[in-house]
Amino acid sequence: MLAVASAVVAVGTATGMLSALGEERGGAAGGPAVGQDRPVVTYARTPAPPAPAPSASATPSVRPAPSPRLTTASPTPTVAKRRTPQLYRHPDSQVADWVRAHPDDPRAAVIGNRIADRPAAVWFADFAPAAIASRVRAVTSAASAQGRVPVLVPYAIPDRDCGGASRGGAPDLAAYDGWIDAFARGLGSGEVIVILEPDSVAQADCLSAADRAARFASLARAGRVLKAADPGARIYYDAGHSGWHPPGRQAALLRQAGATAAAGIFSNVANFRTTEDEIAYDRQVLDALGGPASLGAVIDTSRNGNGAPANGAWCDPAGRRIGRAPTLGTGQARIDAYLWVKLPGESDGCKGAAGSFTPSYAYDLASSS
């Protein structure tokens, strides 16, 4: 069941991720301690002011054919067709910057159309309590102005990555609770998706029983605080992926972390497991988890178009490709969304510096069949 991990390494500026820092904070990519792939995290600049909201297109209506026998009948009311909400694309990212800076590069059109133009998650990976509310608000207000749904990733849990390559986060759980309080103040009142702390549940075996219980209590609190601040927030908890813990064990961990009171679970962040495998796995986890029937799952499809490498390679493995486009309309029961949580083209540390945008890697992912 082991699949070697990619490390989360924080470096410099840019992606669809957001932080207080513009300086390097990370180290080299490293191998796994547990057997999961984790996202390579880089930090983005403070986002530009919200773009003007696009003009809404007319909502189609359905007109019934007149009855041949009831020529004087009153007209049937127009039936509005419900539209699936659209995800928000953060304008500042390494890939978007590269495309703008290299209009004559023969790879630019493919990378721009297939990666840069897709909505992706915005990460908040540094511990900066004084700035976090305003930075979250900058993203949520920009998304609201466009009538779109942002995907936010709080990533500051203490003992992050079990002391591995992306170690860091808040100094302790009390400080983390305060950071979450500030994060919540930036949510606004619209619909948002929150991918709460990748690896925080599936990777918790590195903690002592007491520390694990304390972390899970803090995660449960985080879910309550975020939802109370914005009833439109959809909070998802870490379910690892289909090649990691068995569904029953993962569900037991999620239950302790308060996932039954959230919107559901997320899986496959920065991994390569096929969408079909993740759908089956997530449904098994949800069944074992119990809780309301409304609980669903979201899947990171950013790099899983060809599935996981047979040899277990984790660091920018060859032959991978982008997966299904991000959407809130999956057509699958209990699968709420396909998301790009890790932006394709950001290296795991082999094709380029960890967390950096690597054009050759992005092009391979976008053009591979």
Side-chain angles (χ1 to χ4, degrees):
M1 300 294 285
L2 293 181
V4 182
S6 77
V8 187
V9 180
V11 298
T13 58
T15 138
M17 307 177 184
L18 188 69
S19 165
L21 302 180
E23 61 185 278
E24 289 198 10
R25 288 178 54 100
V34 182
Q36 81 289 358
D37 284 327
R38 298 189 294 275
V40 173
V41 175
T42 59
Y43 299 114
R45 297 179 298 277
T46 301
S55 298
S57 59
T59 302
S61 61
V62 178
R63 294 180 181 273
S67 167
R69 293 177 295 169
L70 300 175
T71 56
T72 60
S74 299
T76 302
T78 298
V79 178
K81 183 178 179 180
R82 185 179 183 275
R83 297 194 304 178
T84 300
Q86 300 297 303
L87 291 163
Y88 172 67
R89 182 179 69 84
H90 185 53
D92 281 338
S93 68
Q94 292 185 90
V95 60
D97 286 349
W98 183 87
V99 170
R100 286 190 290 264
H102 298 83
D104 297 327
D105 191 294
R107 302 166 295 184
V110 169
I111 293 173
N113 292 335
R114 299 184 184 176
I115 297 178
D117 287 348
R118 305 289 191 183
V122 181
W123 289 68
F124 300 83
D126 67 311
F127 181 70
I132 189 64
S134 63
R135 291 178 175 177
V136 173
R137 189 177 300 112
V139 176
T140 57
S141 61
S144 178
Q146 296 182 18
R148 291 179 176 253
V149 180
V151 179
L152 313 177
V153 185
Y155 190 62
I157 196 76
D159 297 314
R160 189 172 67 196
D161 196 28
C162 294
S166 71
R167 60 189 173 274
D172 54 47
L173 287 174
Y176 177 74
D177 291 347
W179 185 83
I180 283 289
D181 291 345
F183 190 104
R185 290 195 292 273
L187 290 179
S189 58
E191 184 177 1
V192 302
I193 291 174
V194 179
I195 304 299
L196 182 61
E197 299 292 343
D199 291 343
S200 61
V201 177
Q203 198 187 17
D205 283 350
C206 70
L207 303 174
S208 69
D211 288 346
R212 185 165 57 247
R215 171 184 284 191
F216 289 169
S218 193
L219 288 171
R221 177 192 182 276
R224 294 192 300 269
V225 167
L226 295 169
K227 189 67 175 178
D230 178 8
R234 295 161 55 180
I235 321 298
Y236 293 90
Y237 280 72
D238 170 37
H241 60 70
S242 58
W244 199 347
H245 296 305
R249 169 158 174 70
Q250 187 62 44
L253 297 172
L254 285 161
R255 195 176 301 112
Q256 295 174 54
T260 55
I265 62 175
F266 65 84
S267 73
N268 206 46
V269 168
N271 211 307
F272 305 92
R273 303 283 163 171
T274 67
T275 302
E276 290 71 23
D277 285 349
E278 292 305 295
I279 289 172
Y281 173 74
D282 289 345
R283 286 173 177 166
Q284 290 175 326
V285 172
L286 289 168
D287 287 345
L289 180 61
S294 60
L295 290 180
V298 297
I299 298 169
D300 186 354
T301 60
S302 60
R303 302 189 299 176
N304 73 344
N306 280 340
N311 63 1
W314 62 269
C315 187
D316 303 332
R320 302 311 98 197
R321 67 180 172 94
I322 56 176
R324 301 188 190 192
T327 180
L328 295 173
T330 69
Q332 292 284 340
R334 306 199 81 178
I335 306 301
D336 296 343
Y338 302 136
L339 304 176
W340 283 12
V341 183
K342 176 181 172 66
L343 195 60
E346 291 175 358
S347 177
D348 297 323
C350 292
K351 293 185 181 294
S356 66
F357 176 70
T358 308
S360 59
Y361 181 34
Y363 184 76
D364 288 346
L365 288 166
S367 60
S368 177
S369 60

